[in-house]
Amino acid sequence: MKMLVTGGAGFIGSNFVHQSVRERPDVEITVLDALTYAGDRSSLDPVADRVRLVQGDIADADVVDPLVAEHDLVVHFAAESHNDNSLNDPSPFVRTNVVGTFTLLEAVRRHGVRFHHISTDEVYGDLELDDPAKFTPTTPYNPSSPYSSTKAASDLLVRAWVRSFGVEATLSNCSNNYGPYQHVEKFIPRQVTNLIDGVRPRLYGAGLNVRDWIHVEDHNSAVWRIIDAGRIGETYLIGADGETSNLDVVRTLLEIFGRPSDDFDHVADRPGHDLRYAIDASRLREELGWEPRYTDFRDGLAATVDWYQENESWWRPAKAGVEATYAASGQ
Ligand code: NAD
Ligand code: DAU
């Protein structure tokens, strides 16, 4: 099978490529990635002899169309992915997340190629802290930020291309991922690398916001389950019952680093900050028999800390620039 992975030099995509090389020796892999600030060629170094990397833009039909035509399956990770950036400049989010997904859909329609669309739980908006409900595949869409609204738009395009044109696509909406190769702009890598540098972690607002953490390898094993056995046109929610407040994440990191539990700073809150995300993954578990492997968040976090300690050359070049951008927003 020939598989095209968009965004395969980013966080989740590069982990997906590593896992696919390990577990799917018969799959020929091409990565299509624009290598934006968030993409790093070196994230594919460990598998470079098994993967072809094409540098290109998913919104450029002249690049996308002939490449899609050579493949049997497209797994679509490429996106502008950071909420804070989308508040500063939404325009690349519209181009990549909406126009890019449209461009890929037109190509898979033309060439009859199977498509799996990677999306986020943020399309459903947020939940109250004391709400017993979780997001399900029938929760109404209610995105809050430019990032999540462009992801919602991309999901709706995929659903329409399935219904109107018979495109063979599945969708997945996952909660917050953590693990190796995550950009230092994101919450967990930012605090881990701050602590390595002896800098206090930074919590937006009171730190009570809750995210439903899942290890990136569990996200990617679920993606393969859906590719192998998911029903065409269906949406699967991916989550591993990992609800944790930002404050508790920081306290766990401080404990791992042997620092006092109050050794952090509160900084300016994110405008429109979603309060809580929580996933009900029962369709994935019951219909497709998927189970996560990383069930102890502290263990997964400690392994992630080890990775950042051992791979400083990977994250160091981006660190100062990211911190300068945050400082300009009082964060
Ligand atoms: P990331 O920002 O780490 O990586 C995105 C990758 O896409 C980068 O390699 C970048 O170079 C590439 N890219 C960006 N614009 C492109 C373009 N126009 N053409 C080609 N390539 C382009 O993102 P991530 O955290 O790995 O997220 C991957 C996907 O998973 C996204 O679709 C995101 O919405 C979704 N998702 C992320 C999370 C999470 O917690 N990080 C959770 C659920 C869903
Ligand atoms: O839920 C899935 C989504 O998770 C994905 O779709 C996004 O691509 C991904 O970036 C992530 O979005 P969040 O906005 O939840 O992730 P982020 O890492 O930016 O922030 C996590 C939480 O931590 C959020 O409540 C904001 C807070 N935060 C973030 C930073 C960078 C802080 O308190 N301090 C920080 O320094």
Side-chain angles (χ1 to χ4, degrees), residues 11 42 50 60 62 68 92 99 112 119 122 155 158-159 165 167 173 183 185-186 208 221 236 265 288 290 312:
F11 164 45
S42 76
R50 289 282 315 278
D60 181 346
D62 292 340
V68 165
V99 180
S119 193
E122 294 193 17
D155 292 11
V158 178
R159 290 178 183 196
F165 303 123
V167 162
N173 295 74
H183 197 275
E185 70 189 354
K186 301 295 192 327
L208 301 179
S221 71
Y236 294 87
D265 292 320
L288 302 185
W290 172 84
E312 182 170 343

Side-chain angles (χ1 to χ4, degrees), residues 155-177:
D155 292 11
L156 299 183
L157 291 175
V158 178
R159 290 178 183 196
W161 261 241
V162 170
R163 171 130 182 200
S164 301
F165 303 123
V167 162
E168 292 206 7
T170 40
L171 302 90
S172 55
N173 295 74
C174 188
S175 58
N176 286 63
N177 287 218

Side-chain angles (χ1 to χ4, degrees), residues 81-83 120-122 147 174-176 185-187 190-191 202-204 209 211 246 270 273 277 326:
S81 69
H82 192 35
N83 277 296
T120 169
D121 59 358
E122 294 193 17
Y147 162 67
C174 188
S175 58
N176 286 63
E185 70 189 354
K186 301 295 192 327
F187 178 51
R190 184 181 185 207
Q191 315 314 332
R202 308 261 197 263
L203 267 180
Y204 291 178
N209 306 61
R211 296 295 182 263
N246 295 338
R270 172 184 287 170
H273 197 172
Y277 306 140
Y326 278 128

Side-chain angles (χ1 to χ4, degrees), residues 50 59 107 113 115 131-132 162 248 284 292 295 305 319:
R50 289 282 315 278
V113 174
F115 189 72
D131 188 342
V162 170
D248 282 342
L284 179 67
T295 48
V305 168
K319 180 70 178 165

Side-chain angles (χ1 to χ4, degrees), residues 52-205:
R52 171 183 163 213
L53 172 61
V54 176
Q55 182 169 0
D57 182 350
I58 57 164
D60 181 346
D62 292 340
V63 171
V64 164
D65 193 76
L67 205 51
V68 165
E70 293 170 19
H71 292 84
D72 309 301
L73 164 69
V74 174
V75 188
H76 174 34
F77 290 92
E80 286 290 339
S81 69
H82 192 35
N83 277 296
D84 292 325
N85 293 345
S86 79
L87 296 166
N88 291 332
D89 179 10
S91 96
F93 289 75
V94 174
R95 178 175 163 81
T96 290
N97 300 358
V98 184
V99 180
T101 301
F102 160 76
T103 307
L104 286 162
L105 284 169
E106 284 292 82
V108 294
R109 164 157 93 107
R110 208 170 291 120
H111 300 292
V113 174
R114 170 85 166 81
F115 189 72
H116 181 73
H117 179 64
I118 304 291
S119 193
T120 169
D121 59 358
E122 294 193 17
V123 298
Y124 300 113
D126 62 352
L127 299 160
E128 294 297 328
L129 292 179
D130 60 356
D131 188 342
K134 297 183 175 197
F135 299 138
T136 74
T138 56
T139 303
Y141 273 40
N142 187 26
S144 313
S145 73
Y147 162 67
S148 52
S149 61
T150 57
K151 290 298 292 188
S154 71
D155 292 11
L156 299 183
L157 291 175
V158 178
R159 290 178 183 196
W161 261 241
V162 170
R163 171 130 182 200
S164 301
F165 303 123
V167 162
E168 292 206 7
T170 40
L171 302 90
S172 55
N173 295 74
C174 188
S175 58
N176 286 63
N177 287 218
Y178 72 98
Y181 297 104
Q182 187 169 27
H183 197 275
V184 289
E185 70 189 354
K186 301 295 192 327
F187 178 51
I188 288 178
R190 184 181 185 207
Q191 315 314 332
V192 169
T193 52
N194 275 356
L195 285 162
I196 290 172
D197 281 348
V199 172
R200 286 156 69 99
R202 308 261 197 263
L203 267 180
Y204 291 178

